[in-house]
Amino acid sequence: MEIDLELEKQCDAIIAEYPKKKSAAMMIMHLVQEKFGHFDDSTINFVAKKLGVEPIEVYGMLTFYPMYSQQPRGRIHIKVCRTLSCALAGSIKLGNEISRFTGCPMGETRGVYTIEFVECLGNCVKAPNVQVNDKLFDEIRPEDAEKFMEKISALDERGELDQKPAGAKPQGAGDFNSAAYKG
Ligand code: FES
């Protein structure tokens, strides 16, 4: 993948905000993930060089954190929580229904969709939870999977699923259980 001057500058600006280069690792990796959609050897080496670490350390973060990927993802990235609270509330069935409805097998990418089960999304009290790109949706019943995906398509058409730039503040509770889903 081509590392351009703009990316170099953006990385340097982020690193300058931290007392140690290595402390900027997560932000730099978010930036690279956002720009290229996934990591390959060239981007792993680029990040390692920027942070002054060995490529294996970047690879370790890449494989540990689910927000980073070694494979290109679809424009609509659906993460269904499968941890205890959500699983008890039906998230496994919900995930499988979403997979069936979109035609995208769980854990894979088809067309605009990537769908996967993930661990706790940090909103257990309102299980089951699904994160789509930057947005979190809660209390989605498995029987509402089709209705939920219709809402997701509508949001996508309006550009409301576009990823926020790396470094932007995460979306907060105002987006939980948004009107987009509740309709
Ligand atoms: S168990 Fe699903 S958000 Fe915590």
Side-chain angles (χ1 to χ4, degrees):
M1 286 183 262
E2 190 178 342
I3 311 292
D4 59 21
L5 195 58
E6 180 63 24
L7 182 61
E8 292 265 8
K9 283 184 184 171
Q10 288 175 305
C11 289
D12 290 342
I14 291 172
I15 288 169
E17 293 181 16
Y18 293 85
K20 291 181 182 174
K21 286 183 181 180
K22 198 173 175 180
S23 302
M26 297 294 279
M27 294 304 295
I28 297 294
M29 290 191 70
H30 274 301
L31 188 63
V32 170
Q33 174 71 43
E34 177 189 295
K35 182 173 177 69
F36 298 109
H38 67 291
F39 285 76
D40 66 1
D41 287 350
S42 66
T43 45
I44 290 173
N45 289 331
F46 167 73
V47 172
K49 194 172 167 191
K50 277 286 167 199
L51 299 175
V53 301
E54 293 298 320
I56 188 68
E57 293 182 63
V58 177
Y59 185 76
M61 289 187 285
L62 170 60
T63 53
F64 181 79
Y65 293 106
M67 58 277 206
Y68 309 130
S69 173
Q70 296 179 74
Q71 306 295 331
R73 288 172 173 160
R75 190 179 72 244
I76 301 175
H77 185 195
I78 301 170
K79 298 180 220 175
V80 182
C81 177
R82 65 177 170 194
T83 306
L84 189 60
S85 296
C86 288
L88 289 173
S91 70
I92 305 300
K93 185 175 180 196
L94 172 64
N96 290 334
E97 285 294 299
I98 292 173
S99 172
R100 187 177 62 80
F101 186 70
T102 58
C104 179
M106 185 57 68
E108 297 188 20
T109 297
R110 290 283 191 286
V112 300
Y113 295 107
T114 294
I115 302 178
E116 61 185 339
F117 283 123
V118 297
E119 302 308 327
C120 186
L121 289 168
N123 193 39
C124 323
V125 72
K126 291 190 174 181
N129 288 280
V130 177
Q131 184 173 333
V132 182
N133 294 351
D134 294 330
K135 290 184 180 294
L136 182 64
F137 301 87
D138 59 36
E139 293 181 335
I140 303 167
R141 296 170 301 180
E143 56 269 34
D144 288 340
E146 185 171 340
K147 179 185 167 195
F148 174 66
M149 287 311 302
E150 287 169 359
K151 296 291 182 184
I152 292 300
S153 295
L155 283 175
D156 181 47
E157 281 175 19
R158 297 201 296 269
E160 293 181 29
L161 291 179
D162 293 351
Q163 301 271 13
K164 296 289 174 290
K169 288 184 177 163
Q171 297 184 17
D175 289 309
F176 291 1
N177 226 7
S178 70
Y181 169 62
K182 291 286 191 185

